[in-house]
Amino acid sequence: MPVDPQSPLISIRDVSKFFDDFQALKDVDLEVKPGEKVVVCGPSGSGKSTLIRCINQLEKHEKGSIIVDGIELTSSKASLNAIRSKVGMVFQQFNLFPHLTVMDNLTLGPIRSKGLSKQQADDMAMKYLERVRIPEQANKYPRQLSGGQQQRVAIARSLCMEPEIMLFDEPTSALDPEMINEVLEVMTELAESGMTMICVTHEMGFARKVADKMVFMDHGEIVEMSEPGKFFTEPDSQRCQDFLQQILHH
Amino acid sequence: MKLFLLMMTALLLGGCSGDWGWYVVNPATKSGMNNLSFLLSGLYYTILLSVTAIIISVVVGLLVALPGLSKNPFLRGINRVYVEIVRAVPILVMILWVYYGLPQVADISITVFWAGVIALALSDSAFEAEIFRAGIQSIDKGQYEASHSISLSYTDTMRFVILPQAIKRILPALGNQLVYMLKMSSLVSVIGMQELTRKANELVVTEYRPLEIYTILVLEYLVLILIVSAGVRWLERRMNADEK
Ligand SMILES: Nc1ncnc2c1ncn2[C@@H]1O[C@H](COP(=O)(O)OP(=O)(O)OP(=O)(O)O)[C@@H](O)[C@H]1O
Ligand SMILES: [Mg+2]
């Protein structure tokens, strides 16, 4: 289905999410256009992870609507599965499959859920391993790789599903400092290739370079949403200013 | 292993002096050889019974464990009820009930062998279910989330991601269950299964040499179980070899 470039690929309206009595998201509104890069930041516990996890249905929202690529996330199971394969996700803890080689990590999804042949899946896996610059690690197990390499494998694993949207949840937070850049470089290249991305990250250098839209969350709400130029120089809210102060002078 | 060899020689030497009458199983004499092979002939059914029962109980255990992991309280309830009831029945009682009771209830005829297999498998399946449940629960939540994010179905997630990791972790526990099963199979002798214990009992009745014959029986189980334990350890090492 061709998407009108002006219509949003993701449209989040008035979304609330509760964990028992605790409200993790409060009437959140967010639109993401095709190819747009959104960077989400905010203090711990502000609901950043919950927000992006709602987009790929790892969490269910209780109120409001989330529409991805024209399909509302409450409709039939079949259409939900269709959406699921269009949204890739990269986790803070990589979550690679430890008992499978890098190659098998990458080909499992394409073979089992997209019905590709082993050969097609292998070709695709090699293509994306080259993209993330570790084709030579194809036959190793995740534990034999450094953290940065593992996260790049995780990115390649998502890309092998050929998603239209990539979600990143603090992809560099679990990494040693010297490995952060190799992952950010891969993400920057992905951004330049035109992928629609929502990244939860506190890497503000990356955000400045890549983001079309900055989002600041606090206590389950979107407090500030603006383009990076304005966001970093003159944010409207005091909370956002304080937060930026804190992490930029860290 | 060394300890075992020591024990065995000690026993055999002891037999040469005191009141032991090893002649009943002396392979040098014709009757001794006959007796020995009579005792050993029970090995076939002990192994066949245990292995068949463990395979069935692992499958049933897994099928019972899965609803136990569900978010749905009704499915979890099914798991709890099954485990609690089956665990509460003594194995010997289960064997008697399956052999004498089940044919009447279900209006079927059942051989001694299959009664034994069903009783042992049922009894053991409750424990297998708990082992599987604990093993599957020990797998990190992130593995499910990653599977979800690459669109794997529930079945594929279990088959390719969760179970291979869980089974590796519970292999020692599964090995223990097999050892347990080999030992419990001796109880099936009460309904006439011609396995190791039954053979020993029958020989005792004709030869009046319980000490020697039951000593041999002990050794038979000991050797069998040591071999199984070694096999399980070997398998564990092999499965972990790719981790190095
Ligand atoms: N499964 C859950 N059950 C109960 N509460 C939860 C659950 N997941 C998240 N929460 C709560 O919801 C709030 C938002 O969590 P979330 O993980 O979205 O925050 P975050 O902004 O990603 O924080 P961090 O920077 O620490 O990752 C937190 O207060 C958290 O304790
Ligand atoms: Mg988070």
Side-chain angles (χ1 to χ4, degrees):
Chain A
M1 171 177 55
V3 181
D4 171 5
Q6 286 322 306
S7 75
L9 191 52
I10 305 172
S11 159
I12 298 172
R13 289 236 167 92
D14 222 14
V15 163
S16 291
K17 162 80 195 165
F18 294 84
F19 292 110
D20 298 319
D21 287 343
F22 178 78
Q23 190 166 5
L25 293 178
K26 295 175 190 159
D27 308 321
V28 169
D29 286 295
L30 178 67
E31 288 200 339
V32 183
K33 295 198 196 73
E36 201 173 15
K37 286 90 184 122
V38 179
V39 168
V40 181
C41 61
S44 180
S46 56
K48 309 179 296 291
S49 298
T50 307
L51 175 63
I52 65 171
R53 287 161 63 86
C54 280
I55 298 172
N56 83 339
Q57 302 161 59
L58 281 172
E59 306 283 358
K60 274 206 188 80
H61 57 288
E62 273 98 24
K63 209 182 121 248
S65 75
I66 301 179
I67 297 169
V68 178
D69 205 8
I71 298 172
E72 166 136 31
L73 294 195
T74 44
S75 35
S76 73
K77 208 167 175 190
S79 60
L80 290 187
N81 279 338
I83 285 300
R84 202 149 66 113
S85 64
K86 291 184 182 177
V87 183
M89 176 130 180
V90 174
F91 304 87
Q92 184 174 350
Q93 299 297 338
F94 326 141
N95 294 344
L96 292 175
F97 306 130
H99 60 300
L100 300 179
T101 61
V102 166
M103 205 60 180
D104 291 340
N105 264 275
L106 266 57
T107 55
L108 182 60
I111 291 175
R112 296 303 305 180
S113 47
K114 300 196 96 172
L116 262 58
S117 72
K118 172 103 177 63
Q119 188 57 51
Q120 289 170 314
D122 282 352
D123 292 346
M124 172 123 76
M126 276 324 283
K127 178 173 113 190
Y128 286 112
L129 276 182
E130 270 156 31
R131 264 269 201 88
V132 301
R133 294 196 280 273
I134 34 174
E136 73 282 0
Q137 311 289 354
N139 294 313
K140 289 203 179 153
Y141 285 89
R143 69 187 160 275
Q144 296 169 310
L145 307 182
S146 72
Q149 290 172 326
Q150 289 189 47
Q151 192 59 298
R152 285 186 282 153
V153 171
I155 294 172
R157 177 176 67 181
S158 282
L159 292 176
C160 280
M161 294 299 291
E162 310 215 286
E164 288 173 24
I165 301 155
M166 285 285 284
L167 307 173
F168 293 84
D169 192 357
E170 306 204 35
T172 57
S173 301
L175 295 177
D176 293 335
E178 71 270 19
M179 294 170 185
I180 290 179
N181 275 331
E182 65 191 53
V183 171
L184 291 179
E185 273 165 30
V186 166
M187 289 170 64
T188 309
E189 281 178 21
L190 188 61
E192 284 162 357
S193 78
M195 177 68 76
T196 310
M197 292 162 62
I198 303 182
C199 312
V200 175
T201 182
H202 292 153
E203 293 297 331
M204 289 304 151
F206 167 79
R208 275 208 177 90
K209 193 155 59 177
V210 161
D212 300 311
K213 193 192 274 175
M214 293 294 303
V215 169
F216 171 74
M217 291 185 72
D218 196 13
H219 292 109
E221 290 172 303
I222 292 186
V223 175
E224 185 94 27
M225 175 151 58
S226 49
E227 43 89 27
K230 176 169 188 305
F231 186 87
F232 287 109
T233 51
E234 38 176 0
D236 290 328
S237 75
Q238 189 61 42
R239 275 189 279 177
C240 187
Q241 281 175 28
D242 294 346
F243 178 78
L244 286 174
Q245 279 283 323
Q246 245 178 37
I247 63 167
L248 291 177
H249 295 197
H250 193 59
Chain B
M1 206 61 196
K2 274 194 188 126
L3 186 72
F4 164 66
L5 287 174
L6 264 176
M7 266 176 58
M8 217 173 133
T9 14
L11 278 170
L12 288 171
L13 286 176
C16 297
S17 52
D19 283 342
W20 298 66
W22 281 115
Y23 69 87
V24 275
V25 288
N26 184 351
T29 68
K30 188 151 184 292
S31 69
M33 190 65 200
N34 278 344
N35 286 345
L36 204 56
S37 61
F38 179 76
L39 286 175
L40 284 173
S41 67
L43 204 55
Y44 172 72
Y45 274 122
T46 289
I47 293 175
L48 191 64
L49 193 68
S50 306
V51 170
T52 315
I54 197 95
I55 291 170
I56 295 174
S57 85
V58 164
V59 174
V60 174
L62 178 58
L63 292 178
V64 173
L66 292 177
L69 295 158
S70 163
K71 283 200 195 95
N72 182 331
F74 176 72
L75 290 177
R76 277 208 313 276
I78 293 180
N79 167 281
R80 285 330 300 164
V81 168
Y82 182 92
V83 169
E84 294 301 336
I85 290 181
V86 172
R87 247 190 343 199
V89 182
I91 299 182
L92 185 54
V93 175
M94 184 75 93
I95 292 169
L96 295 172
W97 190 83
V98 170
Y99 187 56
Y100 295 108
L102 190 61
Q104 285 193 27
V105 176
D107 198 24
I108 47 164
S109 65
I110 192 165
T111 63
V112 169
F113 176 78
W114 283 106
V117 166
I118 291 171
L120 291 179
L122 271 182
S123 287
D124 193 56
S125 65
F127 294 93
E128 301 286 352
E130 291 295 89
I131 291 171
F132 269 110
R133 194 165 64 94
I136 292 172
Q137 269 170 347
S138 78
I139 303 299
D140 183 52
K141 196 164 120 274
Q143 295 290 305
Y144 292 92
E145 299 186 346
S147 307
H148 172 102
S149 80
I150 56 167
S151 284
L152 293 185
S153 65
Y154 171 77
T155 327
D156 282 350
T157 302
M158 281 295 159
R159 182 170 156 206
F160 295 106
V161 179
I162 306 300
L163 284 178
Q165 296 181 65
I167 285 173
K168 212 184 239 181
R169 283 189 201 179
I170 65 179
L171 203 62
L174 292 183
N176 278 342
Q177 286 309 113
L178 177 56
V179 166
Y180 190 67
M181 187 71 93
L182 283 165
K183 296 201 282 186
M184 290 310 127
S185 69
S186 63
L187 291 172
V188 187
S189 62
V190 299
I191 54 171
M193 186 75 233
Q194 295 288 317
E195 43 65 72
L196 287 174
T197 304
R198 177 75 178 199
K199 295 278 184 189
N201 281 336
E202 289 182 356
L203 196 62
V204 166
V205 172
T206 55
E207 294 283 353
Y208 309 111
R209 275 280 163 199
L211 177 58
E212 293 75 13
I213 292 169
Y214 286 137
T215 303
I216 294 286
L217 183 61
V218 168
L219 292 178
E220 284 175 317
Y221 280 111
L222 196 55
V223 171
L224 192 57
I225 282 161
L226 286 174
I227 292 173
V228 169
S229 305
V232 171
R233 273 200 307 278
W234 173 80
L235 197 63
E236 263 174 68
R237 267 202 311 277
R238 232 190 64 135
M239 287 187 94
N240 290 329
D242 53 326
E243 305 223 325
K244 294 290 133 56

